[in-house]
Amino acid sequence: MELGAMALLMSDRFAYIYRGNESTTGVYMTHISNYLVFFLTLFLLWSFNSYLKDLYEEQGNVKAIPKRLKLVDYLFVVGELLLIISQFTGFYYTFDETNTYHRSSGYFVCYIIPMLIFVSQLSVIIQYYKKLHKNMRLALILFATLPLIASIIQLFVYGLSLTNITLVGMIVLLYIFTLIDANETVERAKNIEIKALKDEQEHFRAIFVQTAEALATAIDAKDRYTHGHSRRVAEYSEKIARISGMDNKSCEEVYFAALLHDVGKIGIPDEIINKVGRLTDEEFAEIKKHPFIGKQILSSISRSPYLSVGANYHHERYDGKGYPEGLKGDDIPQIARIIAVADAYDAMTSKRSYRDPIPQQIVREEFVKGLETQFDPVYTKIMLHLIDLDSEYRMKERQDITEHKRNQDYYFTAYRASFTDSVHINEYPLRIHFRSKGDDAELSADPTPSLIIFDSLDSNVHDNDSKNKDMLYFEYCEVRVDGQVINAGAREIKTTIDKHYETGSLNWKEIFRNGIDYNIEAVRYKDHLRLRINCKYQSMVVIAALPDSTRFSYMCLTGQNCTINGIKTSKAAEPIGKDEIPRIAEEVSYINVPDGDIPNVQIDGWRSSSTEAIKIEDKVEIIFHTLSLPTARLVWHCPFVVIFSADDNKVDGKNYREFALIRMDGESWESDKQAKNFITVNKNEAFQNWDTWKKNNKAGIDCKITIRRKGNTVTTTTESAGITTNNITTIKDNVPELYAALTGDQCALTNIRISHSRFNPINELNPVKRLSGDKQI
């Protein structure tokens, strides 16, 4: 078609050039050129017709070619025959004695045939419009209509080549659209192929994941005390890897290596795996074989060598005292150093045959002790950070009430003989539905469920005195769903009951036998907690003023002579406001003293609140008084200082970036990847030991923080009860404005005084060197 269009334009041009040229060459050129113009016009329409048939067969999937397109082939033959006849009869056109072209009486016939072809093709295009790609639809419509219109105009306008020019223009346009469509078709085919490859890859990945998870489940099934251990270790390991800055592929490798880290236990006898109590030396020696067995099993997966690495080395220690090869420091593969931290954490926070789960605060202290001895310091620090963030102690082996199957039954016999697992109550309303039925044999014994509201390190109810002490168990109250409330440790309790029946009008034995559906909502704001208990027969609201805002609050179900089932829970997406729960007692506050330069702040939990922002310009000195809250019992229950930037100058504000979190006990953390921190800790003669340090904080101490900024380097010095820290924060990108704020964990900060001054580095001595008799850590 393109070649024909080129020949048509050349013929049309020669016809005009030699028009009126009476030479022999001129006569031949005008006759041949005009013949070719008529011939090539029909030829191009026939070529387009052939292209159209092919397009509908290949792209439109039209099985039977429309008869109108076959008719076009016949019209082309008729048109060419008439054209040949006209050369001898002058039916279409003639030439006078000056070799000038003139239309003849039959000229209109040479236009009728092309018009019939255009109309036939256009009707087919319209009929099968949706069969073709969008790009081709427009090109075909234009090809069939514009030349037709040009032909009609040219019937009445002599001397212009409108039909030829339009036809050639449409052929060029069709060529362009065909190229575009071809490119898009290739792109679609490529995308389909890529999608097919991705689907196949995802299919194989899904098979691998399912196989790995099934194998991990089989491993854990050997030991009734390690259910879900492999999956939890994998999840913790992946979190550590992600925070450390690994890419997605590496994080996935860490996950699967951790998931299969204990595969070697398949080769350990069940009687050793499931032994109740501690293992003998011989049994432990047998257990120590499982890394090597795991390596042998997984080394056959040659395309994933990281799997056998995780299995073989996850019991190595950073100080070189581990097994099986006694590797030390960075000689231990990175993936195994990560798994070692996650594995130890889950082992300590899970139940074993010889002990209950260890409270998270004690687990944290164990990691601090094992820093650079048992564990890699980098990944241990990340685990410490994860523990600090886990304010609700979710990172542990547990089955919340929210995870119970709907049809699971809980049968309670004697009063408080057993309990469901607990749920955490906070400012997000928790809704629980369950059904309670009385024991047919004990309907006279008041078969009523109860709710226990309490706090403990392991989030479990303890009625044993020694356990109460170990787990710091504190019970606020017990609420029976019939309206009775037992105050165990709350400051004040207010109960409102709205009965939906008349006294003496109900057969309670029959009601207990059939069962009662209960809907409960539990929510807490600071030191006030509210319970709403609704059933068909009454509505009840209990408001409890708790002793403080620091302790956690958990809730579980218990009862006597009743069965509870159909437990369903949901949690609101939005927290309640401060006025949602009516206050029945004064707020417990330890900051009711005059403010300093900025308002005092009471921090009831880990970073639960913070001071106003303090802009860092050259040098800033902050002096304040800190008092640990009565519930504080750990070293890190102390003040922190955070270095940050935010568009609205608020902690956790708009575009918040945190560059350093420095605790007064000597730990630091950076959340922003564009910042690096280096901290040194010094103890002077005022520091005796950590127990004394905690006692001093309980009594109340004055603290001093000095912050110096020079460009993108911030030096923060803290002084507190004999502990001096010097933290250097280096920020990689340019941050125009930096701020500091005080926060902490279970402490009250008062009388905060701030002074700004110019920083002269020549006159400023390093505070670490200034102290005499210090021991630098």
Side-chain angles (χ1 to χ4, degrees):
M1 287 172 67
E2 293 299 322
L3 290 173
M6 181 182 69
L8 176 62
L9 287 178
M10 291 174 63
S11 300
D12 192 67
R13 179 61 177 159
F14 284 131
Y16 278 100
I17 289 174
Y18 288 98
R19 182 180 181 182
N21 189 329
E22 298 179 20
S23 66
T24 303
T25 302
V27 171
Y28 277 109
M29 288 302 296
T30 52
H31 282 67
I32 294 171
S33 297
N34 279 280
Y35 171 78
L36 287 175
V37 167
F38 283 85
F39 172 79
L40 289 171
T41 300
L42 290 171
F43 172 77
L44 289 176
L45 294 179
W46 175 80
S47 299
F48 175 70
N49 197 66
S50 299
Y51 172 74
L52 204 60
K53 288 190 288 185
D54 183 69
L55 191 66
Y56 278 114
E57 281 182 340
E58 298 296 328
Q59 193 179 106
N61 294 320
V62 178
K63 295 179 179 180
I65 298 300
K67 293 180 179 179
R68 281 158 291 173
L69 296 184
K70 293 181 180 179
L71 175 64
V72 170
D73 294 335
Y74 295 118
L75 289 173
F76 168 70
V77 173
V78 171
E80 293 297 348
L81 289 173
L82 288 174
L83 177 61
I84 293 171
I85 292 170
S86 72
Q87 300 303 304
F88 301 100
T89 62
F91 184 61
Y92 284 171
Y93 57 85
T94 60
F95 295 94
D96 61 15
E97 62 277 2
T98 62
N99 197 31
T100 302
Y101 170 91
H102 295 282
R103 289 178 176 178
S104 297
S105 58
Y107 183 78
F108 71 94
V109 176
C110 74
Y111 275 86
I112 290 175
I113 290 176
M115 287 182 183
L116 288 173
I117 291 174
F118 279 130
V119 170
S120 299
Q121 291 172 341
L122 181 62
S123 65
V124 173
I125 292 169
I126 293 172
Q127 180 180 355
Y128 297 103
Y129 183 75
K130 293 185 179 180
K131 291 280 187 179
L132 302 178
H133 300 156
K134 289 182 179 180
N135 290 332
M136 298 308 301
R137 295 173 192 170
L138 177 61
L140 296 179
I141 289 289
L142 291 175
F143 190 96
T145 53
L146 292 184
L148 178 62
I149 295 170
S151 297
I152 295 171
I153 294 173
Q154 192 162 333
L155 271 174
F156 304 99
V157 179
Y158 183 66
L160 293 176
S161 300
L162 285 178
T163 303
N164 296 342
I165 293 171
T166 307
L167 186 60
V168 171
M170 290 303 99
I171 288 173
V172 173
L173 187 67
L174 179 63
Y175 182 72
I176 293 170
F177 274 94
T178 302
L179 284 179
I180 293 172
D181 185 66
N183 288 335
E184 290 185 357
T185 302
V186 170
E187 188 66 26
R188 280 194 298 270
K190 188 173 94 174
N191 290 337
I192 290 170
E193 185 177 358
I194 291 172
K195 185 179 182 300
L197 289 172
K198 285 183 177 179
D199 289 345
E200 185 179 12
Q201 189 178 38
E202 189 60 34
H203 174 68
F204 284 124
R205 184 185 180 279
I207 293 173
F208 175 75
V209 171
Q210 292 169 9
T211 304
E213 290 179 346
L215 186 56
T217 302
I219 298 162
D220 292 346
K222 282 178 67 72
D223 185 352
R224 62 178 178 272
Y225 289 105
T226 61
H227 177 69
H229 168 73
S230 297
R231 186 185 293 274
R232 290 192 299 275
V233 172
E235 290 172 355
Y236 302 153
S237 298
E238 185 182 26
K239 284 182 179 180
I240 294 171
R242 202 165 294 283
I243 293 174
S244 72
M246 289 186 178
D247 57 36
N248 289 335
K249 183 176 181 295
S250 299
C251 290
E252 187 174 83
E253 289 179 355
V254 169
Y255 177 86
F256 287 115
L259 188 65
L260 298 176
H261 74 285
D262 269 344
V263 69
K265 286 186 177 178
I266 288 176
I268 306 300
D270 290 351
E271 57 269 20
I272 295 178
I273 294 287
N274 290 305
K275 180 181 177 180
V276 178
R278 293 189 177 276
L279 300 175
T280 65
D281 292 343
E282 292 77 13
E283 290 167 337
F284 185 62
E286 194 69 24
I287 283 285
K288 287 170 69 174
K289 294 178 181 177
H290 81 270
F292 178 72
I293 298 172
K295 175 188 175 182
Q296 286 185 313
I297 294 171
L298 297 175
S299 59
S300 60
I301 308 176
S302 57
R303 295 189 65 178
S304 303
Y306 56 87
L307 296 176
S308 61
V309 170
N312 191 43
Y313 297 108
H314 70 277
H315 278 296
E316 299 288 357
R317 287 172 54 107
Y318 199 72
D319 58 7
K321 297 178 181 179
Y323 64 91
E325 297 181 17
L327 299 182
K328 184 177 182 180
D330 292 346
D331 291 340
I332 305 169
Q334 181 188 39
I335 204 166
R337 282 179 275 146
I338 294 172
I339 296 172
V341 172
D343 188 33
Y345 178 84
D346 189 69
M348 287 188 279
T349 56
S350 300
K351 184 178 177 62
R352 291 292 183 265
S353 60
Y354 51 88
R355 61 158 174 81
D356 288 330
I358 299 173
Q360 197 176 34
Q361 292 88 341
I362 299 175
V363 172
R364 193 187 194 284
E365 291 179 344
E366 290 299 317
F367 274 112
V368 172
K369 293 175 185 176
L371 195 71
E372 292 187 330
T373 55
Q374 184 174 353
F375 307 112
D376 182 297
V378 173
Y379 303 122
T380 304
K381 189 176 179 182
I382 294 173
M383 178 54 79
L384 293 174
H385 180 64
L386 289 173
I387 292 172
D388 290 340
L389 294 176
D390 186 25
S391 59
E392 296 184 14
Y393 199 5
R394 306 300 301 174
M395 289 172 52
K396 68 172 182 176
E397 178 191 33
R398 64 177 296 151
Q399 184 185 29
D400 285 348
I401 201 170
T402 56
E403 299 169 347
H404 287 315
K405 294 180 180 179
R406 184 174 178 177
N407 59 356
Q408 187 169 351
D409 292 348
Y410 294 89
Y411 179 58
F412 302 105
T413 53
Y415 175 66
R416 291 182 67 133
S418 59
F419 308 88
T420 65
D421 290 329
S422 64
V423 288
H424 182 241
I425 304 174
N426 56 20
E427 65 271 20
Y428 293 86
L430 173 71
R431 298 177 180 90
I432 302 175
H433 169 86
F434 65 88
R435 183 173 181 79
S436 173
K437 293 179 66 175
D439 185 353
D440 287 342
E442 301 288 346
L443 289 177
S444 60
D446 196 9
T448 304
S450 298
L451 305 171
I452 310 295
I453 313 297
F454 67 96
D455 178 37
S456 74
L457 292 179
D458 63 352
S459 67
N460 291 322
V461 174
H462 298 287
D463 285 337
N464 180 284
D465 289 340
S466 63
K467 274 286 186 183
N468 286 357
K469 184 178 180 180
D470 292 340
M471 295 295 117
L472 300 178
Y473 181 76
F474 187 91
E475 190 166 311
Y476 300 115
C477 61
E478 177 183 343
V479 180
R480 289 165 53 98
V481 295
D482 62 1
Q484 299 182 49
V485 178
I486 301 172
N487 187 348
R491 289 184 291 148
E492 190 76 29
I493 293 180
K494 180 180 178 181
T495 304
T496 305
I497 300 175
D498 180 17
K499 295 185 177 181
H500 306 159
Y501 64 93
E502 294 182 4
T503 304
S505 62
L506 299 176
N507 183 346
W508 285 107
K509 285 189 177 182
E510 189 63 26
I511 291 171
F512 288 143
R513 179 180 289 107
N514 293 331
I516 305 174
D517 287 302
Y518 291 96
N519 291 297
I520 296 172
E521 182 193 78
V523 67
R524 174 180 175 174
Y525 186 83
K526 290 192 173 181
D527 60 346
H528 272 53
L529 182 145
R530 183 186 67 202
L531 286 177
R532 287 174 173 164
I533 304 172
N534 296 311
C535 70
K536 181 179 178 181
Y537 306 102
Q538 70 178 28
S539 299
M540 178 179 174
V541 178
V542 178
I543 297 175
L546 308 182
D548 51 65
S549 302
T550 307
R551 290 186 178 93
F552 282 15
S553 50
Y554 298 97
M555 180 175 71
C556 69
L557 291 167
T558 186
Q560 61 178 354
N561 304 317
C562 64
T563 299
I564 291 175
N565 58 22
I567 298 176
K568 294 188 295 182
T569 69
S570 63
K571 205 156 195 175
E574 297 294 329
I576 63 169
K578 64 178 181 179
D579 299 324
E580 183 78 17
I581 302 177
R583 184 165 286 281
I584 61 174
E586 291 295 321
E587 183 176 0
V588 178
S589 175
Y590 298 92
I591 57 173
N592 289 332
V593 295
D595 292 332
D597 294 331
I598 58 176
N600 302 329
V601 61
Q602 180 170 315
I603 307 153
D604 295 311
W606 191 81
R607 298 188 64 179
S608 60
S609 56
S610 57
T611 65
E612 295 178 356
I614 304 164
K615 191 172 183 179
I616 303 173
E617 293 178 320
D618 291 332
K619 179 181 175 183
V620 182
E621 265 190 6
I622 308 168
I623 299 174
F624 60 95
H625 185 79
T626 179
L627 176 72
S628 294
L629 301 184
T631 52
R633 61 191 180 280
L634 302 170
V635 170
W636 58 87
H637 289 161
C638 65
F640 312 161
V641 58
V642 59
I643 308 298
F644 71 97
S645 70
D647 292 350
D648 54 5
N649 311 336
K650 294 180 180 178
V651 174
D652 295 325
K654 186 178 179 182
N655 293 323
Y656 179 76
R657 295 179 64 188
E658 185 171 299
F659 304 107
L661 175 68
I662 305 148
R663 295 192 338 210
M664 304 293 273
D665 66 344
E667 286 193 26
S668 69
W669 177 260
E670 70 270 351
S671 297
D672 197 290
K673 299 300 180 185
Q674 295 299 314
K676 290 295 181 184
N677 286 277
F678 176 76
I679 189 169
T680 55
V681 184
N682 292 270
K683 302 174 182 177
N684 62 24
E685 59 275 3
F687 179 85
Q688 298 179 23
N689 53 55
W690 286 113
D691 287 335
T692 304
W693 193 81
K694 288 190 288 185
K695 287 179 182 178
N696 290 337
N697 275 271
K698 282 274 191 179
I701 56 174
D702 291 324
C703 300
K704 180 180 178 181
I705 297 174
T706 306
I707 305 173
R708 303 171 180 84
R709 180 180 184 183
K710 186 178 181 181
N712 286 345
T713 301
V714 180
T715 303
T716 306
T717 306
T718 70
E719 300 175 38
S720 167
I723 296 289
T724 301
T725 71
N726 191 55
N727 187 83
I728 300 174
T729 304
T730 304
I731 303 170
K732 296 180 182 178
D733 55 351
N734 184 39
V735 182
E737 295 185 349
L738 284 174
Y739 299 90
L742 299 180
T743 181
D745 191 357
Q746 298 195 34
C747 57
L749 311 181
T750 56
N751 194 26
I752 304 168
R753 302 292 177 179
I754 304 165
S755 62
H756 294 265
S757 61
R758 300 292 297 178
F759 169 41
N760 185 349
I762 297 175
N763 298 326
E764 291 285 344
L765 295 177
N766 188 321
V768 175
K769 295 179 180 178
R770 218 171 44 223
L771 296 170
S772 60
D774 288 0
K775 179 183 177 183
Q776 184 167 322
I777 308 300

